[in-house]
Amino acid sequence: MLETKKKKILFLITQSEFGGAQRFLLELATHLDTAKYESLVSSKPGELLDVLEDKHVTVQPLKWLRRDISPVYDLLGLWEIFRLLRRERPDVFFLLSSKAGFLGSLAGRWARTPRIVYRIGGWAFNDPQSWFLRKLYLTAEKISARWKDVIIVNSRHDAAQAERLGIKPREKLVTIYNGIDPASLQFFARDEARKRLNVPPSEKLIGCIANFYKTKGLPVLIEVMAEIHKTHPGVKLVIIGDGRERRHIESEIAKHDLQDVVLLAEHLPEAWKYLKAFDIFVLPSLKEGFPWVLLEAMAAEIPVIATSVGAIPEIVKNDENGMLVEPGNSEALQLAISELFNNASLRDKFASHAKETVEQKFKLDRMIQEVKNLL
Protein backbone atom coordinates (compact mmCIF):
# COMPACT_ATOMS: atom_id res chain seq x y z
CA MET A 1 0.00 0.00 0.00
CA LEU A 2 1.46 3.35 -1.05
CA GLU A 3 2.06 5.89 1.69
CA THR A 4 0.19 9.19 1.15
CA LYS A 5 2.58 12.10 0.63
CA LYS A 6 2.46 14.60 3.47
CA LYS A 7 1.61 18.19 2.69
CA LYS A 8 4.56 20.37 3.65
CA ILE A 9 3.70 23.69 5.30
CA LEU A 10 6.26 26.39 5.99
CA PHE A 11 5.05 28.95 8.53
CA LEU A 12 6.69 32.38 8.64
CA ILE A 13 6.12 34.94 11.40
CA THR A 14 8.17 38.04 12.12
CA GLN A 15 8.50 37.94 15.91
CA SER A 16 8.82 35.14 18.44
CA GLU A 17 7.56 37.28 21.32
CA PHE A 18 4.12 35.96 22.28
CA GLY A 19 1.08 37.82 21.05
CA GLY A 20 -2.09 36.93 19.17
CA ALA A 21 -0.39 35.84 15.95
CA GLN A 22 2.06 33.63 17.82
CA ARG A 23 -0.78 32.06 19.79
CA PHE A 24 -2.67 31.28 16.58
CA LEU A 25 0.43 29.70 15.02
CA LEU A 26 1.09 27.62 18.14
CA GLU A 27 -2.47 26.28 18.20
CA LEU A 28 -2.49 25.49 14.48
CA ALA A 29 0.97 23.92 14.21
CA THR A 30 0.41 21.70 17.24
CA HIS A 31 -3.06 20.53 16.13
CA LEU A 32 -2.22 19.49 12.57
CA ASP A 33 -2.18 15.73 12.03
CA THR A 34 1.50 14.77 11.67
CA ALA A 35 0.47 11.83 9.48
CA LYS A 36 -0.90 14.29 6.91
CA TYR A 37 1.16 17.45 7.41
CA GLU A 38 4.84 18.27 7.78
CA SER A 39 5.28 21.59 9.54
CA LEU A 40 8.27 23.94 9.73
CA VAL A 41 8.05 27.23 11.63
CA SER A 42 10.47 30.05 10.86
CA SER A 43 10.92 33.26 12.85
CA LYS A 44 13.38 35.29 14.86
CA PRO A 45 14.77 33.24 17.77
CA GLY A 46 12.72 33.54 20.93
CA GLU A 47 9.93 32.21 23.09
CA LEU A 48 7.65 30.94 20.34
CA LEU A 49 10.34 28.79 18.73
CA ASP A 50 11.38 27.47 22.15
CA VAL A 51 7.81 26.43 22.97
CA LEU A 52 7.32 24.82 19.56
CA GLU A 53 10.55 22.85 19.88
CA ASP A 54 9.36 21.55 23.26
CA LYS A 55 6.21 20.35 21.49
CA HIS A 56 8.31 18.60 18.80
CA VAL A 57 7.52 21.03 15.97
CA THR A 58 10.48 21.65 13.64
CA VAL A 59 11.71 25.26 13.72
CA GLN A 60 14.13 27.35 11.68
CA PRO A 61 15.45 30.56 13.34
CA LEU A 62 15.95 33.53 11.02
CA LYS A 63 18.80 36.00 11.35
CA TRP A 64 17.65 39.11 9.47
CA LEU A 65 13.87 39.45 9.81
CA ARG A 66 12.87 42.54 11.83
CA ARG A 67 9.51 44.04 12.87
CA ASP A 68 10.44 47.67 12.15
CA ILE A 69 10.98 48.95 8.63
CA SER A 70 14.68 48.84 7.69
CA PRO A 71 15.75 48.79 4.02
CA VAL A 72 19.01 46.94 4.75
CA TYR A 73 17.55 44.31 7.07
CA ASP A 74 14.44 43.93 4.90
CA LEU A 75 16.54 43.13 1.81
CA LEU A 76 18.64 40.67 3.80
CA GLY A 77 15.47 39.16 5.24
CA LEU A 78 13.91 38.85 1.78
CA TRP A 79 16.95 36.98 0.48
CA GLU A 80 17.00 34.75 3.57
CA ILE A 81 13.33 33.85 3.09
CA PHE A 82 13.82 33.20 -0.63
CA ARG A 83 16.71 30.81 0.06
CA LEU A 84 14.63 29.04 2.72
CA LEU A 85 11.80 28.54 0.23
CA ARG A 86 14.13 27.21 -2.46
CA ARG A 87 15.63 24.76 0.02
CA GLU A 88 12.42 23.53 1.67
CA ARG A 89 10.05 23.76 -1.34
CA PRO A 90 6.83 23.76 0.73
CA ASP A 91 3.42 22.98 -0.71
CA VAL A 92 1.95 25.82 1.35
CA PHE A 93 3.69 28.98 2.55
CA PHE A 94 1.69 30.26 5.55
CA LEU A 95 2.42 33.86 6.51
CA LEU A 96 1.55 35.63 9.76
CA SER A 97 2.05 39.35 10.63
CA SER A 98 2.46 42.33 8.33
CA LYS A 99 6.21 42.28 7.67
CA ALA A 100 6.26 38.51 7.08
CA GLY A 101 3.18 38.94 4.88
CA PHE A 102 4.86 41.41 2.54
CA LEU A 103 8.39 39.99 2.36
CA GLY A 104 7.17 36.39 2.46
CA SER A 105 4.66 36.76 -0.35
CA LEU A 106 7.23 38.53 -2.53
CA ALA A 107 9.81 35.80 -1.89
CA GLY A 108 7.12 33.16 -2.46
CA ARG A 109 6.25 34.65 -5.83
CA TRP A 110 9.89 34.64 -6.89
CA ALA A 111 10.36 31.08 -5.62
CA ARG A 112 7.17 29.95 -7.40
CA THR A 113 5.69 28.52 -4.21
CA PRO A 114 2.47 26.65 -5.15
CA ARG A 115 0.20 28.17 -2.49
CA ILE A 116 0.55 31.25 -0.29
CA VAL A 117 -1.83 31.78 2.62
CA TYR A 118 -1.69 34.94 4.75
CA ARG A 119 -3.36 35.27 8.12
CA ILE A 120 -3.51 38.74 9.67
CA GLY A 121 -4.76 39.34 13.21
CA GLY A 122 -5.36 43.07 12.76
CA TRP A 123 -4.37 45.44 9.96
CA ALA A 124 -1.18 47.38 10.77
CA PHE A 125 -2.60 50.51 9.10
CA ASN A 126 -5.08 50.75 12.00
CA ASP A 127 -2.27 51.22 14.54
CA PRO A 128 -1.90 54.63 16.20
CA GLN A 129 0.88 56.12 14.07
CA SER A 130 1.62 58.86 11.54
CA TRP A 131 -0.47 59.36 8.41
CA PHE A 132 2.56 58.43 6.30
CA LEU A 133 3.05 55.05 8.01
CA ARG A 134 -0.65 54.24 7.78
CA LYS A 135 -0.57 54.95 4.06
CA LEU A 136 2.62 52.93 3.64
CA TYR A 137 1.18 49.86 5.41
CA LEU A 138 -2.08 50.09 3.46
CA THR A 139 -0.24 50.35 0.14
CA ALA A 140 1.96 47.36 1.08
CA GLU A 141 -1.13 45.26 1.89
CA LYS A 142 -2.87 46.19 -1.36
CA ILE A 143 0.18 45.43 -3.51
CA SER A 144 1.16 42.18 -1.77
CA ALA A 145 -2.43 40.86 -1.76
CA ARG A 146 -1.92 40.09 -5.46
CA TRP A 147 0.86 37.65 -4.53
CA LYS A 148 -1.30 35.72 -2.03
CA ASP A 149 -3.83 33.03 -2.81
CA VAL A 150 -5.85 33.38 0.41
CA ILE A 151 -6.04 36.04 3.10
CA ILE A 152 -7.49 35.04 6.47
CA VAL A 153 -8.80 37.72 8.84
CA ASN A 154 -10.30 37.02 12.25
CA SER A 155 -13.18 39.50 12.25
CA ARG A 156 -15.95 40.75 10.01
CA HIS A 157 -14.64 44.23 10.82
CA ASP A 158 -11.28 43.54 9.15
CA ALA A 159 -12.90 41.70 6.25
CA ALA A 160 -15.15 44.70 5.54
CA GLN A 161 -12.14 47.02 5.69
CA ALA A 162 -10.22 44.86 3.22
CA GLU A 163 -13.09 44.80 0.75
CA ARG A 164 -13.68 48.55 1.06
CA LEU A 165 -9.98 49.42 0.64
CA GLY A 166 -9.28 47.02 -2.23
CA ILE A 167 -7.12 44.39 -0.52
CA LYS A 168 -7.84 41.50 -2.89
CA PRO A 169 -5.99 38.15 -2.87
CA ARG A 170 -5.89 35.95 -5.97
CA GLU A 171 -8.45 33.47 -4.66
CA LYS A 172 -10.47 34.66 -1.69
CA LEU A 173 -10.67 36.58 1.58
CA VAL A 174 -11.94 34.47 4.51
CA THR A 175 -13.02 35.32 8.06
CA ILE A 176 -12.09 32.72 10.67
CA TYR A 177 -12.69 33.49 14.35
CA ASN A 178 -10.11 32.54 16.95
CA GLY A 179 -11.11 29.60 19.08
CA ILE A 180 -10.20 27.99 22.39
CA ASP A 181 -11.00 24.78 24.22
CA PRO A 182 -12.34 25.87 27.65
CA ALA A 183 -12.21 22.31 28.98
CA SER A 184 -8.43 22.22 28.51
CA LEU A 185 -7.79 25.46 30.43
CA GLN A 186 -6.62 24.62 33.93
CA PHE A 187 -6.86 27.93 35.79
CA PHE A 188 -5.28 28.47 39.18
CA ALA A 189 -7.94 28.67 41.89
CA ARG A 190 -8.65 32.22 43.08
CA ASP A 191 -6.62 32.02 46.29
CA GLU A 192 -3.71 30.21 44.61
CA ALA A 193 -3.60 32.76 41.77
CA ARG A 194 -3.59 35.65 44.24
CA LYS A 195 -0.90 34.02 46.32
CA ARG A 196 1.32 33.67 43.25
CA LEU A 197 0.67 37.34 42.40
CA ASN A 198 1.35 38.44 46.01
CA VAL A 199 -2.14 39.89 46.37
CA PRO A 200 -4.18 39.40 49.59
CA PRO A 201 -7.30 37.20 49.17
CA SER A 202 -9.68 39.90 50.42
CA GLU A 203 -8.75 42.76 48.07
CA LYS A 204 -10.92 43.80 45.15
CA LEU A 205 -8.88 43.29 42.03
CA ILE A 206 -9.04 44.52 38.43
CA GLY A 207 -6.90 42.51 36.04
CA CYS A 208 -5.40 43.14 32.62
CA ILE A 209 -3.16 40.88 30.55
CA ALA A 210 -1.49 42.67 27.65
CA ASN A 211 1.81 43.31 25.93
CA PHE A 212 3.10 46.78 26.74
CA TYR A 213 2.42 48.30 23.31
CA LYS A 214 0.88 51.69 22.49
CA THR A 215 -2.08 49.91 20.91
CA LYS A 216 -3.11 48.36 24.24
CA GLY A 217 -4.20 51.67 25.82
CA LEU A 218 -2.68 50.93 29.22
CA PRO A 219 -2.04 54.62 30.11
CA VAL A 220 -5.80 55.18 29.83
CA LEU A 221 -6.45 52.39 32.33
CA ILE A 222 -3.84 53.81 34.71
CA GLU A 223 -5.45 57.26 34.46
CA VAL A 224 -8.80 55.68 35.29
CA MET A 225 -7.30 53.90 38.31
CA ALA A 226 -6.34 57.30 39.76
CA GLU A 227 -10.06 58.15 39.87
CA ILE A 228 -11.26 54.68 40.87
CA HIS A 229 -8.86 54.77 43.82
CA LYS A 230 -10.65 57.87 45.15
CA THR A 231 -14.13 56.29 45.07
CA HIS A 232 -13.09 52.67 45.69
CA PRO A 233 -9.91 52.97 47.80
CA GLY A 234 -9.61 49.20 48.31
CA VAL A 235 -9.47 48.36 44.60
CA LYS A 236 -6.15 47.48 42.97
CA LEU A 237 -5.07 46.80 39.40
CA VAL A 238 -2.71 44.02 38.32
CA ILE A 239 -1.26 44.19 34.81
CA ILE A 240 0.46 41.04 33.57
CA GLY A 241 2.75 41.67 30.62
CA ASP A 242 5.88 43.35 29.34
CA GLY A 243 7.16 45.15 26.27
CA ARG A 244 8.78 48.22 24.79
CA GLU A 245 6.41 50.65 26.55
CA ARG A 246 7.35 49.48 30.07
CA ARG A 247 9.20 52.68 31.05
CA HIS A 248 6.30 54.81 29.88
CA ILE A 249 3.84 52.66 31.85
CA GLU A 250 5.99 52.94 34.97
CA SER A 251 6.24 56.73 34.57
CA GLU A 252 2.43 56.97 34.25
CA ILE A 253 2.02 54.99 37.47
CA ALA A 254 4.49 57.27 39.24
CA LYS A 255 2.86 60.43 37.82
CA HIS A 256 -0.47 59.45 39.38
CA ASP A 257 1.22 58.21 42.60
CA LEU A 258 -0.25 54.73 42.15
CA GLN A 259 2.77 52.59 43.03
CA ASP A 260 0.74 50.80 45.73
CA VAL A 261 -2.40 50.57 43.61
CA VAL A 262 -1.19 49.43 40.18
CA LEU A 263 0.98 46.31 40.29
CA LEU A 264 3.03 45.19 37.28
CA ALA A 265 3.39 41.42 37.37
CA GLU A 266 5.93 41.22 34.51
CA HIS A 267 5.57 38.61 31.78
CA LEU A 268 4.26 35.29 33.10
CA PRO A 269 4.19 32.11 30.99
CA GLU A 270 0.58 31.01 30.41
CA ALA A 271 -0.70 34.21 32.02
CA TRP A 272 -4.30 33.05 31.49
CA LYS A 273 -3.86 30.67 34.41
CA TYR A 274 -4.05 33.68 36.78
CA LEU A 275 -7.40 35.00 35.51
CA LYS A 276 -9.48 33.76 38.45
CA ALA A 277 -7.49 36.09 40.71
CA PHE A 278 -9.47 39.00 39.27
CA ASP A 279 -12.93 40.32 40.13
CA ILE A 280 -13.11 42.20 36.83
CA PHE A 281 -11.03 41.90 33.65
CA VAL A 282 -10.42 45.06 31.61
CA LEU A 283 -8.94 45.30 28.12
CA PRO A 284 -8.52 49.02 27.25
CA SER A 285 -7.09 48.56 23.73
CA LEU A 286 -6.95 51.38 21.20
CA LYS A 287 -6.56 48.83 18.39
CA GLU A 288 -7.14 45.07 18.37
CA GLY A 289 -7.47 42.13 16.10
CA PHE A 290 -9.16 39.29 17.95
CA PRO A 291 -7.76 39.07 21.52
CA TRP A 292 -7.34 35.52 22.78
CA VAL A 293 -7.15 36.74 26.37
CA LEU A 294 -10.70 38.04 26.16
CA LEU A 295 -11.95 34.55 25.28
CA GLU A 296 -9.88 33.13 28.14
CA ALA A 297 -11.25 35.65 30.66
CA MET A 298 -14.79 34.85 29.53
CA ALA A 299 -14.08 31.11 29.81
CA ALA A 300 -12.79 31.73 33.34
CA GLU A 301 -16.17 33.37 34.14
CA ILE A 302 -14.63 36.74 34.94
CA PRO A 303 -16.85 39.72 34.02
CA VAL A 304 -15.16 41.72 31.27
CA ILE A 305 -14.99 45.33 30.15
CA ALA A 306 -13.38 46.00 26.78
CA THR A 307 -13.17 48.66 24.12
CA SER A 308 -15.25 48.53 20.93
CA VAL A 309 -12.35 48.03 18.51
CA GLY A 310 -11.48 45.30 16.00
CA ALA A 311 -13.32 42.05 16.59
CA ILE A 312 -14.22 42.83 20.21
CA PRO A 313 -17.84 43.88 19.43
CA GLU A 314 -18.21 40.51 17.67
CA ILE A 315 -17.22 38.80 20.94
CA VAL A 316 -18.70 41.03 23.64
CA LYS A 317 -22.34 42.07 23.37
CA ASN A 318 -22.78 45.15 25.53
CA ASP A 319 -24.83 44.53 28.69
CA GLU A 320 -25.33 40.87 27.73
CA ASN A 321 -22.01 39.09 28.33
CA GLY A 322 -19.83 42.07 29.22
CA MET A 323 -19.47 45.83 28.80
CA LEU A 324 -18.13 47.83 25.85
CA VAL A 325 -16.70 51.34 26.00
CA GLU A 326 -15.22 53.61 23.35
CA PRO A 327 -11.42 53.39 23.04
CA GLY A 328 -9.51 56.14 24.83
CA ASN A 329 -12.63 57.29 26.74
CA SER A 330 -11.40 57.33 30.34
CA GLU A 331 -14.69 58.67 31.71
CA ALA A 332 -16.73 55.85 30.14
CA LEU A 333 -14.25 53.23 31.36
CA GLN A 334 -14.35 54.64 34.89
CA LEU A 335 -18.16 54.56 34.94
CA ALA A 336 -18.20 50.97 33.64
CA ILE A 337 -15.74 49.75 36.31
CA SER A 338 -17.69 51.52 39.08
CA GLU A 339 -20.99 50.08 37.86
CA LEU A 340 -19.63 46.53 37.85
CA PHE A 341 -18.11 46.82 41.31
CA ASN A 342 -21.40 48.20 42.64
CA ASN A 343 -23.58 45.49 41.07
CA ALA A 344 -22.85 41.89 42.02
CA SER A 345 -25.84 40.49 40.09
CA LEU A 346 -24.58 42.15 36.91
CA ARG A 347 -21.14 40.63 37.42
CA ASP A 348 -22.72 37.19 37.84
CA LYS A 349 -24.85 37.65 34.71
CA PHE A 350 -21.88 38.66 32.57
CA ALA A 351 -19.74 35.82 33.89
CA SER A 352 -22.25 33.06 33.08
CA HIS A 353 -23.28 34.47 29.70
CA ALA A 354 -19.64 35.01 28.72
CA LYS A 355 -18.74 31.37 29.28
CA GLU A 356 -21.75 30.27 27.23
CA THR A 357 -20.63 32.55 24.39
CA VAL A 358 -17.17 31.00 24.25
CA GLU A 359 -18.48 27.44 24.40
CA GLN A 360 -21.03 28.00 21.64
CA LYS A 361 -19.33 30.39 19.24
CA PHE A 362 -15.53 30.28 19.59
CA LYS A 363 -14.45 26.66 19.49
CA LEU A 364 -10.85 25.66 18.83
CA ASP A 365 -11.68 22.61 16.72
CA ARG A 366 -13.87 24.73 14.44
CA MET A 367 -11.04 27.23 13.93
CA ILE A 368 -8.54 24.47 13.12
CA GLN A 369 -10.87 22.75 10.65
CA GLU A 370 -11.71 25.99 8.82
CA VAL A 371 -8.01 26.74 8.38
CA LYS A 372 -7.22 23.18 7.22
CA ASN A 373 -9.88 23.58 4.53
CA LEU A 374 -7.71 26.31 2.98
CA LEU A 375 -4.36 24.51 2.99
Side-chain angles (χ1 to χ4, degrees):
M1 183 175 178
L2 292 176
E3 184 178 344
T4 304
K5 182 180 181 294
K6 294 182 182 180
K7 183 172 287 188
K8 188 172 186 177
I9 305 174
L10 172 58
F11 294 94
L12 177 70
I13 188 168
T14 309
Q15 298 188 110
S16 201
E17 175 188 11
F18 256 92
Q22 290 76 12
R23 170 67 182 277
F24 174 89
L25 199 165
L26 175 65
E27 295 287 4
L28 181 57
T30 55
H31 283 85
L32 290 176
D33 186 350
T34 55
K36 297 180 180 178
Y37 300 95
E38 178 185 349
S39 298
L40 171 63
V41 177
S42 194
S43 176
K44 286 180 63 177
E47 184 181 3
L48 173 65
L49 297 192
D50 294 341
V51 172
L52 286 166
E53 276 197 300
D54 288 342
K55 294 181 178 292
H56 309 292
V57 176
T58 305
V59 303
Q60 173 61 59
L62 293 177
K63 183 177 181 180
W64 300 114
L65 198 59
R66 300 286 190 277
R67 182 177 188 271
D68 297 326
I69 296 172
S70 168
V72 174
Y73 282 119
D74 290 346
L75 285 172
L76 290 169
L78 180 62
W79 177 244
E80 186 176 29
I81 296 165
F82 175 76
R83 291 181 62 193
L84 179 64
L85 285 168
R86 295 296 290 174
R87 185 179 76 236
E88 297 296 335
R89 298 191 179 278
D91 299 296
V92 180
F93 193 22
F94 200 113
L95 309 171
L96 301 101
S97 72
S98 299
K99 176 64 78 68
F102 185 84
L103 295 180
S105 57
L106 180 55
R109 186 185 189 195
W110 288 346
R112 298 183 180 180
T113 303
R115 189 164 183 78
I116 299 176
V117 176
Y118 174 48
R119 187 265 185 188
I120 186 71
W123 299 115
F125 52 76
N126 288 330
D127 287 4
Q129 57 197 338
S130 69
W131 173 89
F132 174 77
L133 282 177
R134 286 196 190 99
K135 185 68 174 178
L136 182 64
Y137 281 120
L138 174 56
T139 301
E141 293 290 4
K142 291 174 73 171
I143 291 172
S144 63
R146 306 166 193 165
W147 310 328
K148 298 158 182 167
D149 295 289
V150 175
I151 295 178
I152 301 170
V153 294
N154 55 17
S155 70
R156 294 195 302 270
H157 170 274
D158 281 7
Q161 262 198 317
E163 291 171 359
R164 186 175 69 252
L165 295 171
I167 301 173
K168 298 179 180 179
R170 287 192 293 243
E171 188 177 311
K172 58 184 171 180
L173 176 76
V174 183
T175 301
I176 298 178
Y177 285 141
N178 292 349
I180 64 172
D181 177 14
S184 70
L185 299 178
Q186 301 299 312
F187 300 104
F188 293 129
R190 178 184 171 89
D191 288 350
E192 174 65 16
R194 289 186 168 221
K195 181 180 178 182
R196 289 171 179 262
L197 293 171
N198 294 316
V199 177
S202 59
E203 285 188 333
K204 292 182 178 179
L205 205 61
I206 298 169
C208 179
I209 300 174
N211 288 326
F212 291 1
Y213 298 161
K214 289 181 180 180
T215 55
K216 295 301 180 180
L218 295 175
V220 177
L221 181 54
I222 292 166
E223 178 188 344
V224 166
M225 282 306 301
E227 297 303 315
I228 291 291
H229 184 58
K230 296 174 186 176
T231 56
H232 298 76
V235 174
K236 291 190 176 181
L237 166 67
V238 171
I239 304 175
I240 301 176
D242 207 348
R244 63 181 69 92
E245 291 291 305
R246 170 169 281 276
R247 287 190 179 181
H248 179 56
I249 300 298
E250 291 172 340
S251 69
E252 288 294 305
I253 293 170
K255 182 177 80 174
H256 293 286
D257 195 25
L258 295 174
Q259 291 90 334
D260 296 328
V261 177
V262 180
L263 311 176
L264 301 183
E266 305 260 340
H267 171 73
L268 296 172
E270 298 181 310
W272 54 266
K273 288 185 174 182
Y274 297 82
L275 279 163
K276 286 190 176 288
F278 308 139
D279 297 293
I280 295 172
F281 182 83
V282 177
L283 193 64
S285 305
L286 304 177
K287 177 251 183 180
E288 273 292 351
F290 192 118
W292 296 88
V293 70
L294 201 54
L295 296 184
E296 291 161 343
M298 294 166 73
E301 297 182 90
I302 307 301
V304 300
I305 301 172
T307 48
S308 54
V309 295
I312 291 176
E314 297 169 44
I315 307 168
V316 177
K317 301 303 178 185
N318 192 42
D319 288 333
E320 293 182 18
N321 59 3
M323 299 182 79
L324 291 176
V325 298
E326 289 299 311
N329 190 330
S330 56
E331 182 179 354
L333 182 56
Q334 179 188 336
L335 289 172
I337 291 172
S338 294
E339 183 178 356
L340 265 190
F341 269 122
N342 292 332
N343 192 332
S345 63
L346 190 61
R347 294 198 303 273
D348 291 342
K349 169 190 166 182
F350 287 169
S352 62
H353 288 185
K355 187 173 184 180
E356 290 173 7
T357 299
V358 174
E359 291 175 337
Q360 294 171 10
K361 192 174 180 181
F362 303 109
K363 296 180 179 180
L364 177 63
D365 57 357
R366 180 186 299 167
M367 181 194 84
I368 300 295
Q369 186 56 54
E370 288 177 351
V371 175
K372 283 166 60 178
N373 292 341
L374 301 171
L375 298 178

